[in-house]
Amino acid sequence: MDFLMFPLEKNSNSPLYEQLYKFIKDAIVQGNIKEGDKLPSKRKLADYLDLSQTTIELSYSQLLAEGYINSEPRRGYFVQNIEELALIEIEDSQIVKEEKTPSYHLDFSPGRIDEDSFPFTLWRKYARDLVHEENKELLQLGHPQGDYILRQQISSYLYQSRGVKSTPEQIILGSGTEQIMPLLIRLLGNEAVYGYENPGYPLSHHLFLEHEEKSVPVRVDDEGLVVQELENTNATVMYVTPSHQFPTGSVMSASRRSQLLAWAYQHEKRYIIEDDYDSEFRYTGKPIPSLQGMDQNDRVIYLSTFSKSLMPSLRIAYAVLPKPLIKQYKAKYYYYSATVPRMDQYILAKFMEDGHFGKHLNKMRKIYKRKLEIITKSLLEYEPAVTLSGEQAGMHLLLTIHTQKKEEELVALAQQANIQIYGLNKYITFPIEETLPKLVLGFGGLEFSNISTTIHELMKAIKIKHS
Ligand SMILES: Cc1ncc(COP(=O)(O)O)c(C=O)c1O
């Protein structure tokens, strides 16, 4: 092989040794240098290519390390039989480049929480107390369902605040709803056919649409899931967000709740997955008890998370499994360790045990309620061009825009003004009837001091004028 053909690029980002290494490697892989061929000595090649011996040394070392050549003492470097090597060539173009997350001037994404009211001092105290030799046992693996101490706290919290009936033995922890849901799907087995809300939580769409033939979208209106439509499908498991439908914000009416439970009771093995993700935050009227609390026949799998009540990055969610399922769970999944770090479980358990979780929720409820009031007041100035819905609970609401423009146009206009906001269409899998454009306005992460300016900026960006 003619080494003079080596296309050296002095100004390339890739160092010279790497260019040479790649050139020789490719020649070996393509058979231009054969097994047993001797490579020029380092000194000779350095002279020949007018490169330093160190550069040649580095290239040869890399080839040696990867097994393309071997070195025989006092004889030199020889090409190896590369068929014996497991060649995994990854083209640069195949490597998915990490996308930079765009940073927006204003962000109405529904997953964001208020950052300024997190109890950092307290959390730090619990973390500091815990990371101590005294607790060295925590270095070992804990219970596969999550440590009892936290499950106990969750169980009593759920009973008091959501009317959920459980024992700690029925609770499983996971690092997020998105961790627990696939597990539930595996637990419910191949025969399950899933109903999911349309519009709905993108994760549920993503999961259930992986098995499109085994899932059906079910419409949602301002009373929540349209159970009558569910009754006309072959679904056996229904995933719902009754406390605050994601993303429309509707709260499931009492009659729909009993209708949904009645649907589940009609056949054995019908289940409801109740995702109660942001139920801690209800601003009008009495808290609505969970479906699980109403269930008399062990047909509701209750699912919730600390992502809204504490922080999404904590990655702690939990499910309360009905008794027959927890038996199956224990039999099937006992060999899987808990996915939540034990130290985090303990910090949270102690935080709850000492009553801080309840206090934090009360504080946050007031904060989000206040944010919502400012938003509502600011938006009032744009009525009737905009109407609000889904604002009784949670940290997002739905904004209907009375305009000729399409939803995508509005989202694009907002983006041009460096504002992140999603349209309802993003949450729809199967087209539903044409309606006015709707924007999902997450307000959890908005800064208190400038919420009204934020709303005015959004309205200006999407070209909605004061009334
Ligand atoms: C409907 C719904 N369920 C659950 C979650 C939380 O998911 P995770 O526990 O994976 O953070 C969210 C988002 O915050 C959600 O919108």
Side-chain angles (χ1 to χ4, degrees), residues 102-122:
S103 74
Y104 290 93
H105 159 57
L106 293 177
D107 195 343
F108 290 98
S109 306
R112 295 183 70 82
I113 57 146
D114 186 275
E115 293 167 359
D116 295 326
S117 39
F118 184 76
F120 281 104
T121 316
L122 260 177

Side-chain angles (χ1 to χ4, degrees), residues 310-428:
L310 275 169
M311 55 182 134
S313 65
L314 184 63
R315 311 312 299 136
I316 306 187
Y318 48 90
V320 179
L321 300 185
K323 289 178 202 98
L325 284 182
I326 193 74
K327 248 194 204 153
Q328 278 180 40
Y329 178 89
K330 283 184 192 285
K332 257 189 173 167
Y333 296 115
Y334 235 56
Y335 300 100
Y336 292 77
S337 307
T339 53
V340 184
R342 279 187 95 188
M343 297 271 180
D344 292 335
Q345 293 186 43
Y346 268 74
I347 297 174
L348 177 57
K350 296 281 179 197
F351 184 79
M352 293 177 89
E353 199 173 67
D354 292 347
H356 297 301
F357 184 56
K359 285 186 197 144
H360 178 66
L361 287 179
N362 287 341
K363 178 170 113 187
M364 295 318 294
R365 212 173 282 120
K366 284 188 194 127
I367 289 177
Y368 292 130
K369 188 172 183 197
R370 183 79 195 108
K371 284 190 178 185
L372 187 60
E373 279 164 3
I374 307 176
I375 292 175
T376 317
K377 194 162 162 250
S378 312
L379 283 171
L380 218 74
E381 296 177 31
Y382 298 90
E383 278 186 345
V386 301
T387 40
L388 279 188
S389 54
E391 75 281 26
Q392 296 102 317
M395 288 138 80
H396 71 269
L397 47 88
L398 203 62
L399 200 59
T400 305
I401 318 282
H402 301 260
T403 171
Q404 300 289 327
K405 291 194 179 67
K406 291 229 173 309
E407 195 174 287
E408 286 65 27
E409 257 180 273
L410 298 178
V411 172
L413 282 171
Q415 264 176 357
Q416 278 161 26
N418 209 3
I419 299 173
Q420 169 79 316
I421 193 157
Y422 299 116
L424 188 68
N425 286 337
K426 183 177 156 35
Y427 303 97
I428 289 172

Side-chain angles (χ1 to χ4, degrees), residues 110-111 175-179 200-203 239 241 244-246 275-278 303-308 311-312 315-317 396:
S175 56
T177 306
E178 52 197 33
Q179 266 275 326
Y201 182 35
L203 170 78
Y239 166 86
T241 50
H244 189 223
Q245 203 275 330
F246 191 88
D275 183 353
D276 213 23
Y277 68 109
D278 69 359
L303 189 61
S304 196
T305 178
F306 288 97
S307 289
K308 300 282 184 180
M311 55 182 134
R315 311 312 299 136
I316 306 187
H396 71 269

Side-chain angles (χ1 to χ4, degrees), residues 59-73:
S59 320
Y60 279 15
S61 308
Q62 189 62 32
L63 291 165
L64 260 173
E66 292 182 18
Y68 288 100
I69 59 173
N70 67 352
S71 151
E72 292 184 18

Side-chain angles (χ1 to χ4, degrees), residues 139-386:
L139 299 176
Q140 308 295 351
L141 282 178
H143 193 283
Q145 284 171 237
D147 276 76
Y148 198 82
I149 180 175
L150 180 54
R151 286 186 281 133
Q152 207 169 20
Q153 285 304 317
I154 292 174
S155 179
S156 72
Y157 158 71
L158 286 179
Y159 183 67
Q160 285 160 27
S161 70
R162 305 291 306 126
V164 170
K165 297 167 288 186
S166 71
T167 62
E169 286 73 13
Q170 279 171 272
I171 297 181
I172 55 166
L173 300 187
S175 56
T177 306
E178 52 197 33
Q179 266 275 326
I180 296 181
M181 288 269 283
L183 207 135
L184 294 179
I185 292 175
R186 277 165 59 203
L187 187 66
L188 290 165
N190 274 340
E191 66 274 26
V193 177
Y194 292 90
Y196 61 87
E197 297 172 319
N198 185 37
Y201 182 35
L203 170 78
S204 64
H205 292 179
H206 175 74
L207 285 173
F208 300 136
L209 282 168
E210 266 182 23
H211 311 280
E212 204 170 330
E213 70 292 349
K214 294 205 143 202
S215 62
V216 277
V218 184
R219 204 163 54 85
V220 176
D221 65 15
D222 54 5
E223 277 189 69
L225 184 82
V226 183
V227 184
Q228 209 178 348
E229 290 199 2
L230 168 67
E231 284 162 353
N232 298 328
T233 70
N234 61 343
T236 59
V237 181
M238 182 68 217
Y239 166 86
V240 263
T241 50
S243 296
H244 189 223
Q245 203 275 330
F246 191 88
T248 64
S250 58
V251 177
M252 193 184 251
S253 64
S255 61
R256 292 270 177 93
R257 279 166 197 257
S258 28
Q259 208 184 340
L260 181 58
L261 285 170
W263 166 85
Y265 298 162
Q266 272 163 25
H267 290 281
E268 239 186 281
K269 296 221 168 170
R270 273 194 185 168
Y271 282 105
I272 298 165
I273 302 177
E274 174 181 27
D275 183 353
D276 213 23
Y277 68 109
D278 69 359
S279 59
E280 289 86 2
F281 305 110
R282 178 160 175 85
Y283 312 114
T284 44
K286 280 207 314 200
I288 297 180
S290 61
L291 271 174
Q292 199 267 10
M294 294 169 72
D295 176 24
Q296 301 295 330
N297 292 311
D298 269 340
R299 294 303 180 79
V300 178
I301 302 169
Y302 181 87
L303 189 61
S304 196
T305 178
F306 288 97
S307 289
K308 300 282 184 180
S309 52
L310 275 169
M311 55 182 134
S313 65
L314 184 63
R315 311 312 299 136
I316 306 187
Y318 48 90
V320 179
L321 300 185
K323 289 178 202 98
L325 284 182
I326 193 74
K327 248 194 204 153
Q328 278 180 40
Y329 178 89
K330 283 184 192 285
K332 257 189 173 167
Y333 296 115
Y334 235 56
Y335 300 100
Y336 292 77
S337 307
T339 53
V340 184
R342 279 187 95 188
M343 297 271 180
D344 292 335
Q345 293 186 43
Y346 268 74
I347 297 174
L348 177 57
K350 296 281 179 197
F351 184 79
M352 293 177 89
E353 199 173 67
D354 292 347
H356 297 301
F357 184 56
K359 285 186 197 144
H360 178 66
L361 287 179
N362 287 341
K363 178 170 113 187
M364 295 318 294
R365 212 173 282 120
K366 284 188 194 127
I367 289 177
Y368 292 130
K369 188 172 183 197
R370 183 79 195 108
K371 284 190 178 185
L372 187 60
E373 279 164 3
I374 307 176
I375 292 175
T376 317
K377 194 162 162 250
S378 312
L379 283 171
L380 218 74
E381 296 177 31
Y382 298 90
E383 278 186 345
V386 301

Side-chain angles (χ1 to χ4, degrees), residues 73-143:
R74 285 185 297 280
R75 286 195 61 219
Y77 294 95
F78 294 88
V79 172
Q80 287 271 65
N81 174 8
I82 60 155
E83 272 169 30
E84 287 168 13
L85 295 173
L87 274 183
I88 303 167
E89 285 288 309
I90 302 174
E91 296 238 334
D92 273 3
S93 61
Q94 280 183 357
I95 299 171
V96 180
K97 294 268 182 324
E98 192 139 323
E99 274 179 34
K100 278 210 180 100
T101 325
S103 74
Y104 290 93
H105 159 57
L106 293 177
D107 195 343
F108 290 98
S109 306
R112 295 183 70 82
I113 57 146
D114 186 275
E115 293 167 359
D116 295 326
S117 39
F118 184 76
F120 281 104
T121 316
L122 260 177
W123 201 264
R124 189 163 50 241
K125 175 192 163 316
Y126 284 107
R128 210 186 315 113
D129 290 354
L130 204 77
V131 185
H132 197 280
E133 286 85 347
E134 264 173 23
N135 301 320
K136 62 183 182 191
E137 214 293 298
L138 292 185
L139 299 176
Q140 308 295 351
L141 282 178
H143 193 283

